[in-house]
Amino acid sequence: MDTFTAHIDREDIDEEIIRKAGDVIRYGGLVAFPTETVYGLGGDALNENSSERIYAAKGRPSDNPLIVHIADFDSIEAIASLDDKDYPLPDIGGKVRALNDRFWPGPLTIILKKKDIVPYKTTGGLDTVAIRMPHDDIALGLIRASGGYIAAPSANLSGRPSPTKASHVIEDMDGRIDMILDGGDVDIGLESTIVDMTEDEPAVLRPGAITVNDLSKVLGTVIVDPAVLGIDTHAVPRAPGMRYRHYAPKGELAIVKGEEDEVTEYINSQCAAAKSDLLRTGVICADEHVLRYRATSVKCAGRRDDGAFTARRLYAVLREFDEEQIDVIYSESFDEGRLGQAIMNRLLKAAGHKVIDLSK
Ligand code: TXA
Ligand code: MG
């Protein structure tokens, strides 16, 4: 299949291209598009054949549900229940509306009880559906042009880091999908926060740019799925997608924690040993530490106090190590600030939970 890539100027969006891309989705095709979090791989959420094609293009297990992207709040009604009798939580309609007022469009995905119109192929066989309204004019235009409901996982091959640039999408999806809308680099760089509203308490199943604290201000008590914090490595995550080893670079990645100087010394000695075994080594560190490390490839992931930059850069760094054929990678820990939880969740997954804690 030939994949057509169209560049879109955010300041002056070409409506004709959006209309064509919308038609591709209406007729069952697949279009990758930018969102504020990561690039998505979109198909018609209400057409089970489209969902099947998405799983095939990504090489993704079909029990891993897709997020349905909408462009306005009223679109929820057709695909999910907001009726109190379907939920243990009181006043579900009021709560979801409050989340909409505060966070949508934006990097928040809300899980609700699905209606019959949403095929089980889209929800991975579940009776719930994940819904998000992205904060991106290209995405919102495309959703409207394609009939209002786009199922979109991140536009990477299953197991690779999510795409934060159009070039990442081309790397993974060229020849596998109909069209790519190139809207430049994304803003946030990590996938949306997922909050499940279908159980006794609102629960964060995947941390993202909207924090538990942000959600609590609107919802009151919010719990966090313990499996996503890396504290209990045996707990099974509630979001099926969080169970797979995602975002993985080809090299072995380990996160090293401890006093700054100890971390540097440890990483440098490990890299020296790996080098004598003829392995290519990589380091991910804060900008201010870049001159401390000796490795084949040392990558800055932003200043310690600039989590937004680290988030935006993380997946690109992991892909660059693949291109440079790095065999072993050591990363400093980036657990501070608003985005710390989301960044560490993705790093831990990329590392298959391998953490070396020098303070122990
Ligand atoms: O930021 C994002 O959310 C991006 C952009 C494209 O919008 N999308 C994204 O989709 O990250 P994906 O498919 O890569 O991740 C979706 C996650 C998976 O972990 C999946 O298991 C979970 O959401 N999920 C989807 N529906 C669910 C449901 N009904 N119950 C529990 N988890 C669900
Ligand atoms: Mg993904």
Side-chain angles (χ1 to χ4, degrees):
M1 177 192 298
D2 284 334
T3 303
F4 176 67
T5 300
H7 294 269
I8 300 204
D9 178 357
R10 284 188 173 281
E11 305 306 313
D12 181 19
I13 294 176
D14 184 337
E15 295 302 334
E16 188 55 26
I17 295 178
I18 299 289
R19 199 181 54 74
K20 281 192 182 134
D23 283 345
V24 170
I25 291 181
R26 278 176 195 272
Y27 293 114
L30 303 185
V31 178
F33 61 97
T35 81
E36 80 280 35
T37 58
V38 298
Y39 270 79
L41 171 53
D44 180 353
L46 306 184
N47 176 347
E48 60 176 19
N49 297 324
S50 298
S51 296
E52 257 174 18
R53 288 195 58 199
I54 291 174
Y55 289 113
K58 276 184 68 92
R60 168 168 171 153
S62 58
D63 62 349
N64 186 0
L66 307 174
I67 294 173
V68 179
H69 295 68
I70 58 173
D72 55 77
F73 183 77
D74 292 339
S75 297
I76 292 182
E77 206 183 320
I79 58 167
S81 166
L82 287 178
D83 189 334
D84 275 341
K85 76 171 170 20
D86 293 324
Y87 295 87
L89 276 171
D91 188 23
I92 188 77
K95 289 190 170 67
V96 174
R97 193 167 281 280
L99 289 173
N100 167 67
D101 292 347
R102 178 70 189 81
F103 302 115
W104 274 357
L108 178 70
T109 295
I110 304 176
I111 297 184
L112 296 171
K113 289 280 166 65
K114 87 172 189 74
K115 287 192 173 167
D116 291 344
I117 192 175
V118 185
Y120 280 112
K121 287 259 157 65
T122 301
T123 65
L126 299 175
D127 289 316
T128 54
V129 59
I131 306 173
R132 170 161 119 80
M133 192 192 300
H135 184 77
D136 182 299
D137 289 337
I138 298 172
L140 291 170
L142 180 66
I143 295 164
R144 292 193 187 100
S146 63
Y149 302 97
I150 295 186
S154 47
N156 51 287
L157 285 173
S158 194
R160 298 213 70 202
S162 295
T164 54
K165 301 166 180 293
S167 62
H168 297 161
V169 181
I170 295 168
E171 250 168 58
D172 283 13
M173 289 298 153
D174 193 30
R176 305 175 77 93
I177 62 176
D178 301 282
M179 193 169 177
I180 297 170
L181 299 182
D182 175 355
D185 292 2
V186 302
D187 182 25
I188 295 173
L190 299 178
E191 305 84 346
S192 60
T193 304
I194 301 179
V195 64
D196 183 358
M197 300 298 289
T198 66
E199 306 271 348
D200 297 341
E201 283 175 305
V204 169
L205 307 193
R206 178 173 74 182
I210 291 169
T211 65
V212 180
N213 197 18
D214 297 334
L215 291 169
S216 311
K217 287 185 188 143
V218 174
L219 297 172
T221 307
V222 175
I223 61 167
V224 183
D225 182 357
V228 305
L229 297 177
I231 301 161
D232 179 355
T233 47
H234 297 293
V236 177
R238 280 166 57 180
M242 303 299 282
R243 292 173 203 155
Y244 300 99
R245 180 166 176 221
H246 254 196
Y247 323 118
K250 291 176 190 144
E252 268 306 297
L253 168 65
I255 302 163
V256 185
K257 288 185 168 175
E259 292 282 326
E260 265 179 32
D261 289 343
E262 277 175 8
V263 168
T264 308
E265 203 176 306
Y266 177 85
I267 292 180
N268 280 336
S269 71
Q270 291 299 112
C271 286
K275 197 174 166 201
S276 65
D277 289 338
L278 301 180
L279 295 174
R280 292 168 63 78
T281 53
V283 174
I284 307 175
C285 65
D287 288 6
E288 51 270 47
H289 298 161
V290 64
L291 294 175
R292 298 172 161 216
Y293 290 102
R294 305 278 168 271
T296 317
S297 177
V298 180
K299 301 209 182 283
C300 307
R303 296 187 52 83
R304 270 247 148 261
D305 57 4
D306 188 359
F309 186 90
T310 307
R312 208 175 294 134
R313 176 117 175 86
L314 180 65
Y315 288 144
V317 163
L318 296 178
R319 280 177 182 261
E320 285 164 22
F321 281 136
D322 284 354
E323 267 160 44
E324 295 165 24
Q325 301 187 332
I326 300 297
D327 303 296
V328 279
I329 307 162
Y330 293 95
S331 177
E332 293 183 344
S333 167
F334 294 89
D335 47 12
E336 287 159 37
R338 269 182 68 77
L339 283 158
Q341 200 172 71
I343 294 167
M344 287 311 286
N345 168 262
R346 306 315 193 274
L347 255 185
L348 281 163
K349 283 196 75 185
H353 286 273
K354 186 163 180 206
V355 180
I356 296 154
D357 191 344
L358 302 173
S359 67
K360 284 190 180 158

